[in-house]
Amino acid sequence: MSTASKELFEFKKRLVELRDYSGRGTELISLFITPGYPISDIAGKLREEYSQASNIKSKSTQKNVQAALEKIMAFLKTFKKPPDNGVAIFAGNVSQYEGQVDVRLFSVVPPYPLATQFYRCESKFVLEPLEDMFEH
């Protein structure tokens, strides 16, 4: 298996794994960063989101969203700039059991440059922009 096909296989495998996670309420964060976008700008936006999250009515959702944002902000500190193809970051409470917390972070460097940049909190990770890459 060539290096490129092995990377593509691993990429697809990661998407399948991420598709299986679901959150309670809108507590799973999907963050897509396009190539060359300043990490400091993203970090600033995430700090704003963190303070906005204090307005979430459900205390458990609020804690889970803030914990996921903390993980993402810490992870971004390891970057000077995004990878050449950008990066997709997913974080949230992926525990399958009510009342149990298992906040995890996953990152995916896509095989092709990301064309879309966004931040979303939903009950599932947003994977469509990555899945669309297989149509090329």
Side-chain angles (χ1 to χ4, degrees):
M1 189 183 275
S2 74
T3 304
S5 60
K6 186 175 191 269
E7 285 175 9
L8 211 52
F9 173 78
E10 291 297 324
F11 178 72
K12 287 179 181 179
K13 195 168 103 177
R14 176 54 67 96
L15 293 185
V16 168
E17 175 190 336
L18 289 168
R19 194 178 302 119
D20 289 341
Y21 290 117
S22 62
R24 286 160 191 60
T26 55
E27 58 185 40
L28 296 185
I29 297 172
S30 302
L31 174 66
F32 285 60
I33 304 172
T34 53
Y37 197 86
I39 294 291
S40 59
D41 289 6
I42 297 287
K45 289 176 182 169
L46 292 178
R47 283 190 293 277
E48 285 176 32
E49 287 294 332
Y50 186 90
S51 64
Q52 289 294 317
S54 63
N55 297 327
I56 297 172
K57 287 184 178 75
S58 162
K59 287 298 168 201
S60 66
T61 300
Q62 176 187 335
K63 281 198 315 206
N64 290 337
V65 167
Q66 287 181 323
L69 285 167
E70 286 171 5
K71 279 194 181 288
I72 294 170
M73 288 186 285
F75 179 69
L76 287 178
K77 288 179 181 173
T78 66
F79 289 90
K80 286 198 178 355
K81 65 183 187 74
D84 292 341
N85 286 342
V87 63
I89 302 169
F90 305 95
N93 180 17
V94 296
S95 172
Q96 296 180 351
Y97 305 104
E98 187 72 42
Q100 191 175 35
V101 178
D102 183 11
V103 177
R104 290 201 213 160
L105 180 136
F106 308 91
S107 68
V108 177
V109 175
Y112 308 105
L114 278 174
T116 312
Q117 178 154 308
F118 66 84
Y119 164 90
R120 286 228 188 96
C121 277
E122 296 190 10
S123 60
K124 291 283 227 183
F125 291 127
V126 179
L127 302 171
E128 290 80 11
L130 297 175
E131 292 169 336
D132 290 348
M133 290 181 175
F134 296 116
E135 294 174 11
H136 293 298

